[in-house]
Amino acid sequence: MKRFMIERVFPGASELTTEQLAEISRTSNAAVDSLGVPYTWVTSFVAGDKIYCLHEADDAETVREHARRGGFPCTLVAEVAAEFGAHTATEHERQRAGATT
Amino acid sequence: MEREPQLEQLRTALRRATDEGSVVAVAGEAGAGKSALVRAATADQPWSRVARGLCDPLDTPRPLGPVRDVLSELGTAPGQDSVALAALGERLLSAAADEPTTVVIEDAQWIDEASVDVLRFVARRIELVPLVLVITYREGEIGPRHSLRPLLGDLARLDSAATIHLAGLSVDAIRGLLQGTPLDAVTVWALTAGNPFFVTEIARHPAERLPTSVRDAVLAGTSAVDADDLEVLQLLATAPDGVDDRLFPHLGVDVPQLRRLEGTGLLRRSRRGVVYRHELARLAVEGAIPAGVAASLHARVLEALERLGSSDPAVLAHHAHASGDEGRTLRYADRAALDAALAGSHREAVSFLELAAASTSDPQDRAALLERLSFQLYMVSRLPEALAVIIEASRLWEEVGDQDGLSAAHNRRALIEYYLARRAEAQCHVEAAVAHASSPTHGSARAMQMFLAYRRNALREARSSGAVVRAIASERRDEELRLRADIVGAAADLVDGSADARERLLDLSAEAASRGFDETASTGWSQLAAIDVEQRRLRDAERLLDRSLPFTVERDIPICNQWQTGVRSRLQLERGRWEAALEDARSVLDGGAPIASLWPHLVSALVPLRRGDAPDDGVQDHLERAWRLAQEIDEPLALLAVTTALAERAWLLGSGDPRLEVAATLVRDAGSVPGVQWASGQLALWLGRLGLDPGAVGVAEPARLQLDGRTDEAAEHWRALGAPYERALAALDSLDDGTAVAALADLETMGAWATAQRGRDVLRARGLAKVPARRRVTTVANPAGLTSRQLDVARLVAEGLTNSELAQRLYISTRTADHHVSAVLAKLGLATRRDVVRQAADLGLV
């Protein structure tokens, strides 16, 4: 499966209560269960008027299908090409050192 | 595919939107390629953004469905409570004001009534905004009483509207579509009559044996589908409005199955979810659902919609009804009817209430639904049905012994009977309604009683009912009821000759309008207009109707629209504008309420009589109908008016009428009735011309002067009132021969050829030596032949407005205004607009 980053424009997103987030989660889980193809909701972040989600699926069209079935906006779907962080620099150093010895 | 000229026409309209808005209707049979054409024209073009509104083939369409679609696409979605149709129209126009916009309304053969009203509002003002309104509809499915008809009627009159007709494809075009298949173009053409959808389906599945119907052609595409998938296709086919993706989890349709179904080419995605690519395809699949299975499919969709929390009662009612679930049908149809009535979609409210009433056998529920149904039927002016329905409600309430219900039914029936012009029945039912004093509708019944008394000039009785209504209104804090009493009270005072009552009636009606009591406000203006014309405040009536008639259209009150159009028809008659009078009369008589039809019948008889049109049965028929109506209405003003028309006819044709024998009695009796001095004066004048002495007392001033032989003063009086026909008739009796002879010319100028001819006899009989012969044609300017629209234009030109000011005022483009002004000048035989201003007074335009 591939990983996808999804941007959802959702005015007032940061004001959502835990209860409302739980409701959205229920709807999303039901949509995932109904797809009949492999699909994983990894995690989501609420930021300002947007929600960013990380999902795993075979293709972007299935990600959109999930959004339609859940009734969620789906402003942008992009496949994750790589993942990196602070550790990437040291890991990279270590790999290069390993390669030269 | 042989649609290039049509495509170019549509694209030209889009391209020109920045300069001038327009309406383009695209008409053709199902499968003719209307949607495909519109898609091709609107896709990938730089000139305007596009918003779409879809109409659904639900049994009863959802009110304002397409309008709400469009507004939400334009980012100006209305709340559920926004119900004024004009306000929705304004919203659409202002959304398009700053950016060229194309609004596409598809499949308007399924449109609802409220949407039509909004679109008519927009179409009339479209030239001023960069908006192209594209409407597709199936030709041949629009009967004379179809909701869309009024809009199509408007389009036929608008300069800025065009219709594109899509005919069948030629053999050559079919050959192109069949390329790569072994099929013979001529054979396919003969089979399909060139229907593009049918041809395309055949080309998609070029089987050896040609399918013989659209249905077979579509079903050929499903032959490879397994049983489970076919069931889902059928499930989708039960939902004409498409299936929201959010339903799929509840319907158990997963992604692999959906992909397989999309592979059949029968489905497509729309904003609303998954829909059939074409309605013909949906119908083919739906038609092939085995008997007994459809109900369970509808039940599944209904359950899924309920679990999703759907709030669209029109769709829920559709599935509940088809699944045979009476309880749910009742609940949803009832709610859908409330929504429809609030939105002003009265036809749809009627359908939903019919459905709801058919879904319950509980007499109380049924009776209450039927009572609401009868009111909606009254609103759409289907009065005989409204009557049948309220009688049934009454019977049911009688059965269960519900006194409140019975009173409500009597009250409603009184209203319907009155609009059917059956006063005796109305009177009897209002009394039955009033008898039950503890009923919740008692105040309303008392107000009806007051109105009926006022209408027959029983002013004392009206006032005493009014006092009771006001007491009930203040006890219940019912402001609308209080306003109704005050409005009818002010109208009664005005009939009685009170000087300040007119101002009061105007204020009260404005107050009712500002509080949102549209029907009450409109009733106030309706009554004032009728009284103004009766009391010959013709210019005041004109100004009032200029404002109040558009209100009846914008607030969707057809009953008041018919009434006021009838009043205007009479107004135009008094003003000597024969064509405009006939135009209004025709529009009321085309299915209008009987109560509004009296003057339209009289106008339809009097204009041809005065002009001396070639004799036909029409005149006699209109007079007979008016006579019968007046007997039924049984009001002094109605009886006097019809008898006056009979007297005028007797004078014009030199024939007698047995019905005139009681005329003198009628005039004398009128002496004791308040508010009939103008009507009895008119009758007295005609009886005098017939050589009968009516012995009139208490008639209005100009008639009094004339009866007293002061004909020149009478003529001057009529002139000041703006009543040219009456003025000429008074002048004809002038002792001064020159004045009398000039009156003949005046009558001819206004086109009253028969009246002039008869006047000639009178002058000869009087011994006048030199009575001039009939002129061949008149060359003098006269507005008698102007249509209503041209009169509007002429009056504004007379006020000195420029063409562009005039265009602003009438919501038309300057180009159209130029066009109208030229037509007006041509008909008036004047060279310039300055001539119109100079002669405005003589022409009766100011």
Side-chain angles (χ1 to χ4, degrees):
Chain A
M1 285 205 288
K2 299 167 182 165
R3 300 195 128 197
F4 292 93
M5 203 62 205
I6 307 141
E7 183 190 278
R8 310 186 196 278
V9 173
F10 206 115
S14 7
E15 263 95 67
L16 290 169
T17 62
T18 319
E19 211 169 288
Q20 287 168 316
L21 291 173
E23 178 59 37
I24 293 173
S25 171
R26 259 193 299 279
T27 308
S28 173
N29 290 343
V32 169
D33 290 346
S34 79
L35 291 172
V37 290
Y39 198 95
T40 312
W41 172 14
V42 182
T43 191
S44 295
F45 301 97
V46 179
D49 281 338
K50 284 175 183 167
I51 298 179
Y52 295 90
C53 301
L54 189 61
H55 287 196
E56 288 177 353
D58 283 338
D59 50 44
E61 186 45 34
T62 309
V63 172
R64 288 202 190 85
E65 181 72 32
H66 167 267
R68 284 196 291 261
R69 290 179 172 224
F72 308 130
C74 182
T75 327
L76 204 83
V77 181
E79 192 180 335
V80 175
E83 197 177 336
F84 74 115
H87 56 92
T88 310
T90 41
E91 276 170 14
H92 184 65
E93 289 299 318
R94 207 175 294 136
Q95 271 172 21
R96 261 181 40 185
T100 50
T101 52
Chain B
M1 177 168 92
E2 214 174 46
R3 297 287 193 231
E4 282 74 20
Q6 292 92 340
L7 191 59
E8 190 44 42
Q9 189 179 349
L10 201 46
R11 288 170 77 89
T12 304
L14 263 58
R15 201 158 42 224
R16 291 189 43 222
T18 341
D19 301 325
E20 189 173 76
S22 63
V23 188
V24 183
V26 180
E29 61 173 12
K34 301 180 290 295
S35 302
L37 179 78
V38 173
R39 264 198 301 277
T42 54
D44 302 323
Q45 41 83 25
W47 310 301
S48 79
R49 62 177 167 166
V50 180
R52 285 172 204 283
L54 301 176
C55 310
D56 303 314
L58 294 168
D59 295 335
T60 304
R62 65 185 112 205
L64 295 172
V67 170
R68 286 185 192 281
D69 281 355
V70 166
L71 288 175
S72 93
E73 281 202 16
L74 294 176
T76 171
Q80 284 296 323
D81 53 330
S82 178
V83 291
L85 299 180
L88 291 176
E90 290 285 5
R91 199 186 279 257
L92 215 164
L93 287 169
S94 70
D98 302 324
E99 186 182 345
T101 304
T102 299
V103 166
V104 181
I105 304 292
E106 289 211 59
D107 286 318
Q109 70 277 5
W110 298 314
I111 199 167
D112 64 289
E113 194 184 11
S115 294
V116 170
D117 288 334
V118 174
L119 295 179
R120 291 181 74 187
F121 182 92
V122 170
R124 282 196 292 265
R125 294 157 174 76
I126 205 155
E127 292 184 5
L128 302 182
V129 276
L131 172 65
V132 179
L133 178 59
V134 180
I135 299 166
T136 75
Y137 68 93
R138 288 188 191 166
E139 236 162 356
E141 291 189 18
I142 314 292
R145 297 269 167 245
H146 193 282
S147 300
L148 190 62
R149 210 20 95 192
L151 177 61
L152 296 183
D154 287 355
L155 298 190
R157 284 188 289 272
L158 280 176
D159 295 332
S160 49
T163 302
I164 295 175
H165 295 276
L166 292 182
L169 300 176
S170 69
V171 174
D172 279 346
I174 292 176
R175 191 168 292 125
L177 286 172
L178 294 177
Q179 235 166 37
T181 76
L183 300 172
D184 171 47
V186 176
T187 315
V188 171
W189 177 80
L191 182 68
T192 59
N195 182 297
F197 176 80
F198 198 176
V199 176
T200 314
E201 284 303 296
I202 288 176
R204 273 180 356 115
H205 314 285
E208 278 180 25
R209 251 188 64 211
L210 276 176
T212 53
S213 67
V214 171
R215 187 177 140 172
D216 292 341
V218 171
L219 294 179
T222 66
S223 55
V225 183
D226 73 19
D228 279 356
D229 288 358
L230 183 62
E231 192 186 83
V232 175
L233 276 179
Q234 291 172 340
L235 198 65
L236 295 172
T238 66
D241 55 324
V243 171
D244 189 319
D245 287 282
R246 291 176 301 164
L247 289 176
F248 288 132
H250 302 294
L251 292 171
V253 178
D254 65 16
V255 171
Q257 189 173 30
L258 198 56
R259 298 266 158 85
R260 286 199 302 279
L261 296 177
E262 283 167 348
T264 62
L266 288 172
L267 306 176
R268 69 179 173 87
R269 291 209 158 271
S270 83
R271 198 165 25 85
R272 294 215 188 136
V274 175
V275 297
Y276 270 83
R277 190 169 58 77
H278 199 285
E279 175 63 8
L280 289 174
R282 186 190 74 79
L283 281 177
V285 175
E286 191 190 28
I289 298 175
V293 176
S296 71
L297 294 174
H298 279 286
R300 275 176 69 190
V301 177
L302 178 61
E303 202 194 310
L305 283 166
E306 284 177 340
R307 279 168 64 183
L308 194 65
S310 163
S311 60
D312 194 334
V315 173
L316 292 165
H318 165 82
H319 291 294
H321 177 53
S323 70
D325 185 333
E326 290 202 333
R328 284 184 161 93
T329 308
L330 171 61
R331 188 161 77 233
Y332 293 132
D334 184 357
R335 262 173 45 197
L338 282 174
D339 285 2
L342 267 177
S345 267
H346 300 292
R347 284 172 200 237
E348 281 70 33
V350 164
S351 299
F352 286 127
L353 285 168
E354 281 171 346
L355 184 57
S359 304
T360 176
S361 47
D362 177 78
Q364 281 282 8
D365 286 353
R366 234 179 96 72
L369 287 164
L370 290 176
E371 195 268 340
R372 279 164 59 199
L373 175 58
S374 78
F375 182 69
Q376 294 300 327
L377 285 165
Y378 150 81
M379 286 296 285
V380 296
S381 215
R382 282 159 63 179
L383 296 172
E385 287 161 272
L387 183 64
V389 164
I390 198 64
I391 289 173
E392 173 65 4
S394 216
R395 195 187 61 75
L396 289 168
W397 270 320
E398 181 90 58
E399 214 172 275
V400 294
D402 183 331
Q403 283 308 311
D404 288 350
L406 273 172
S407 297
H410 279 305
N411 184 34
R412 179 70 67 228
R413 184 159 174 193
L415 175 76
I416 296 165
E417 296 281 11
Y418 185 66
Y419 277 86
L420 281 166
R422 306 197 319 193
R423 163 170 288 278
E425 283 83 353
Q427 203 68 48
C428 144
H429 285 285
V430 85
E431 272 151 31
V434 162
H436 181 51
S438 63
S439 143
T441 49
H442 187 67
S444 164
R446 283 290 196 167
M448 186 67 204
Q449 193 179 37
M450 177 188 190
F451 181 72
L452 287 178
Y454 144 79
R455 288 290 305 160
R456 61 163 210 282
N457 292 38
L459 302 183
R460 199 174 309 144
E461 196 184 319
R463 289 190 184 107
S464 82
S465 289
V468 179
V469 180
R470 274 187 211 94
I472 296 172
S474 90
E475 187 190 311
R476 300 200 179 150
R477 295 174 196 285
D478 186 336
E479 283 297 290
E480 181 164 22
L481 190 61
R482 194 258 308 163
L483 275 165
R484 274 170 69 191
D486 286 349
I487 282 175
V488 179
D493 292 346
L494 186 58
V495 164
D496 213 5
S498 155
D500 70 328
R502 188 172 195 277
E503 207 54 39
R504 197 149 35 91
L505 187 46
L506 277 173
D507 289 348
L508 288 164
S509 301
E511 185 189 344
S514 73
R515 285 168 179 254
F517 306 141
D518 293 347
E519 218 188 336
T520 302
S522 199
T523 302
W525 289 321
S526 289
Q527 293 308 317
L528 178 54
I531 301 169
D532 276 347
V533 177
E534 174 62 30
Q535 300 181 346
R536 303 304 193 278
R537 282 182 298 274
L538 302 180
R539 293 182 185 87
D540 287 340
E542 210 156 83
R543 276 190 290 274
L544 174 66
L545 287 167
D546 277 349
R547 285 181 294 122
S548 65
L549 262 170
F551 185 85
T552 65
V553 176
E554 282 156 20
R555 304 299 164 96
D556 197 28
I557 318 170
I559 280 278
C560 288
N561 183 272
Q562 290 168 4
W563 171 266
Q564 292 182 19
T565 306
V567 170
R568 192 172 67 178
S569 168
R570 179 188 178 191
L571 168 70
Q572 306 291 28
L573 179 82
E574 304 291 351
R575 300 283 268 147
R577 299 160 180 168
W578 315 129
E579 266 319 309
L582 284 176
E583 198 181 323
D584 281 340
R586 273 193 294 268
S587 115
V588 176
L589 294 179
D590 180 20
I595 193 71
S597 304
L598 182 75
W599 273 102
H601 278 304
L602 291 178
V603 164
S604 305
L606 288 173
V607 169
L609 278 171
R610 292 175 184 181
R611 291 198 303 209
D613 295 353
D616 62 27
D617 300 338
V619 165
Q620 191 54 27
D621 187 49
H622 283 299
L623 276 178
E624 285 306 321
R625 281 161 190 264
W627 171 261
R628 279 201 300 274
L629 266 176
Q631 306 300 312
E632 293 266 302
I633 296 171
D634 195 22
E635 288 164 7
L637 288 176
L639 290 165
L640 284 164
V642 173
T643 313
T644 304
L646 291 176
E648 181 174 351
R649 176 175 165 276
W651 182 81
L652 281 167
L653 302 182
S655 61
D657 192 314
R659 287 168 292 196
L660 291 174
E661 279 164 22
V662 292
T665 324
L666 210 55
V667 172
R668 276 191 292 275
D669 289 353
S672 59
V673 180
V676 299
Q677 49 285 54
W678 289 88
S680 63
Q682 284 309 100
L683 179 54
L685 286 176
W686 284 109
L687 292 180
R689 289 185 189 108
L690 288 171
L692 303 164
D693 176 20
V697 287
V699 300
E701 180 74 359
R704 180 77 268 154
L705 291 168
Q706 215 167 315
L707 289 170
D708 290 348
R710 295 155 68 182
T711 50
D712 292 346
E713 285 168 77
E716 174 51 27
H717 208 113
W718 288 118
R719 194 200 56 73
L721 291 172
Y725 185 72
E726 298 301 334
R727 192 206 66 78
L729 283 171
L732 200 60
D733 288 340
S734 172
L735 299 175
D736 174 56
D737 290 349
T739 307
V741 166
L744 289 181
D746 290 342
L747 286 168
E748 285 177 346
T749 299
M750 71 181 82
W753 295 99
T755 313
Q757 194 55 39
R758 196 70 184 82
R760 212 167 264 117
D761 299 343
V762 172
L763 295 190
R764 284 200 199 98
R766 186 167 121 183
L768 226 71
K770 271 186 169 176
V771 179
R774 176 190 160 119
R775 275 184 292 167
R776 290 195 53 174
V777 282
T778 163
T779 51
V780 184
N782 189 266
L786 299 183
T787 64
S788 282
R789 190 57 158 177
Q790 289 168 342
L791 260 177
D792 289 341
V793 171
R795 280 161 51 201
L796 295 177
V797 170
E799 279 179 35
L801 263 63
T802 66
N803 284 13
S804 69
E805 287 166 337
L806 192 149
Q808 286 274 334
R809 194 82 76 85
L810 296 176
Y811 306 108
I812 54 179
S813 71
T814 314
R815 193 171 54 89
T816 307
D818 293 345
H819 174 77
H820 279 312
V821 171
S822 316
V824 166
L825 291 177
K827 271 201 183 169
L828 289 177
L830 296 174
T832 70
R833 43 195 308 127
R834 274 198 304 280
D835 296 336
V836 179
V837 178
R838 260 196 298 274
Q839 299 192 34
D842 291 341
L843 292 170
L845 293 174
V846 288

